[in-house]
Amino acid sequence: MLTVPAPIYLLGFGPVAATTASLVIVAATSVSSLLAHARDGDAHWRAGLLFAAACSQPRASAPPCSAAASRSPP
């Protein structure tokens, strides 16, 4: 939630650069967390791969992932 405003206000990034930086930050955090959980044997690979497969499709063809977004108020 703060990964886009933080680079803008704290580091002086433009909106496009801050968005790109936030994607890198979230990806790095996700990978490091996955590695830690995998090392401890706590990674739920089947559920994770099923979720990744369902959510990697475009929004129109992935209702499980977009259902919450379509119910939220504008």
Side-chain angles (χ1 to χ4, degrees), residues 16-71:
V16 174
T19 302
T20 303
S22 73
L23 291 173
V24 172
I25 292 167
V26 169
T29 303
S30 298
V31 169
S32 67
S33 296
L34 172 63
L35 293 175
H37 283 284
R39 184 180 57 239
D40 294 339
D42 292 332
H44 300 278
W45 294 105
R46 180 179 161 95
L49 292 173
L50 288 172
F51 184 76
C55 293
S56 64
Q57 303 300 316
R59 180 184 165 137
S61 64
C65 301
S66 61
S70 64
R71 286 181 292 190

